[in-house]
Amino acid sequence: MKTIGLIGGMSWESTAEYYRLLNEFTRDRLGGLHSARCVLYSVDFADIEQLQVQGRWAEAGDALAAAARSLEAAGADMVLICTNTMHKVADTVAAAVDVPLLHLADATAAAVRASGLRRVGLLGTAFTMEQDFYRGRLEAAGLVVTVPDAEGRALVHRVIYEELCRGTLREESRTAYREVIQNLVSAGAEGVILGCTEIELLIGPEDSPVPLFPTSRLHAEAAVTAALGAWHAPDAPSRPATPPVRLDLDTVARTSLPARRWFP
């Protein structure tokens, strides 16, 4: 098994979920006492969050690039950024290392397409919902992406930073998220991407009338698939993009998720 390098800590709540998922997927694939080969570089999210707020993305990219180089030096065969929002600096991170960056949006788009769906809603931070670095990559993969209205985006963003990243799960926030999801469905969404890794701590399949696509779960599953060798070199990108590890859609579609059923 190849070694998976994780840039985490954004927040550590979701990074802990990544670690659990990587080991569960490895155990399910290999059986027995097998667990994932991985190394983790956990940043201080307070520092990164300030750079986000101040729009200092180049500095944030440099910080994650340094983390990626440390992971490569520690023996990582691939790198994952364990957060959707910080894929805004994915190109900087990918350029800093010689090992591939497995892009979270690619793993998500592959799963949506393998499910047979095309029109999806997207929940995440305001950066992820409103900017092109993530939505554009999903759309380049052939998806039609809808986001909540301004009020819904503000709500989703606030809950992420003020509650979920701090380990707080509130029933009233779960109810509010359900309403946002229902509005996306009413607008034509056939499924909903949980485009912030912390959202999966609050929302599950029972909270949505349409399939949910949990990005940290999909990312971790794709990483284990890649680490076990079931991947091939990326095609030439049609637009400027981070060199990803491209997974065969058939491979993604054949892989079942443990516990709850998230998507078809």
Side-chain angles (χ1 to χ4, degrees):
M1 183 177 189
K2 297 179 184 294
T3 300
I4 302 167
L6 306 170
I7 304 177
M10 303 168 285
S11 66
W12 71 260
E13 299 280 349
S14 63
T15 303
E17 185 74 357
Y18 261 88
Y19 183 72
R20 181 183 66 81
L21 290 167
L22 287 171
N23 284 292
E24 285 185 354
F25 283 128
T26 302
R27 179 196 61 201
D28 292 344
R29 299 284 186 87
L30 300 180
L33 295 176
H34 285 287
S35 55
R37 294 183 183 274
C38 61
V39 290
L40 168 65
Y41 190 111
S42 187
V43 304
D44 184 345
F45 189 32
D47 296 338
I48 300 297
E49 190 268 344
Q50 281 301 300
L51 296 177
Q52 292 175 344
V53 170
Q54 296 167 12
R56 295 158 61 190
W57 293 102
E59 293 176 57
D62 289 343
L64 296 201
R69 286 191 291 269
S70 294
L71 291 172
E72 184 176 29
D77 296 302
M78 68 189 75
V79 171
L80 278 65
I81 303 173
C82 300
T83 165
N84 289 269
T85 297
M86 293 311 295
H87 276 73
K88 182 174 174 68
V89 299
D91 289 345
T92 299
V93 176
V97 292
D98 293 324
V99 297
L101 173 76
L102 200 162
H103 200 291
L104 198 158
D106 292 343
T108 300
V112 175
R113 291 171 56 187
S115 75
L117 303 183
R118 183 167 174 264
R119 300 181 63 88
V120 290
L122 173 63
L123 301 181
T125 66
F127 309 110
T128 300
M129 293 186 288
E130 297 173 358
Q131 298 182 20
D132 184 63
F133 70 91
Y134 195 87
R135 290 179 58 185
R137 196 162 183 121
L138 295 174
E139 290 167 348
L143 305 183
V144 177
V145 182
T146 303
V147 297
D149 61 18
E151 182 179 355
R153 294 196 303 274
L155 167 75
V156 171
H157 182 89
R158 180 190 62 76
V159 169
I160 290 169
Y161 280 92
E162 295 182 9
E163 299 175 21
L164 303 183
C165 287
R166 301 167 189 253
T168 300
L169 304 178
R170 292 180 173 155
E171 190 59 37
E172 55 267 36
S173 296
R174 180 178 290 110
T175 298
Y177 267 50
R178 287 172 177 165
E179 183 176 346
V180 172
I181 290 171
Q182 184 57 60
N183 289 340
L184 289 171
V185 173
S186 297
E190 303 167 319
V192 175
I193 293 172
L194 304 184
C196 173
T197 51
E198 285 82 14
I199 294 177
E200 295 163 52
L201 304 176
L202 179 69
I203 295 296
E206 66 278 3
D207 297 306
S208 173
V210 297
L212 296 177
F213 294 87
T215 54
S216 60
R217 181 174 288 264
L218 294 169
H219 204 198
E221 182 181 25
V224 170
T225 299
L228 293 175
W231 60 280
H232 60 79
D235 299 324
S238 58
R239 51 173 298 200
T242 305
V245 176
R246 298 270 187 198
L247 298 179
D248 290 315
L249 293 183
D250 287 345
T251 299
V252 176
R254 285 197 304 269
T255 305
S256 60
L257 297 174
R260 297 180 296 179
R261 183 170 180 246
W262 289 81
F263 54 86

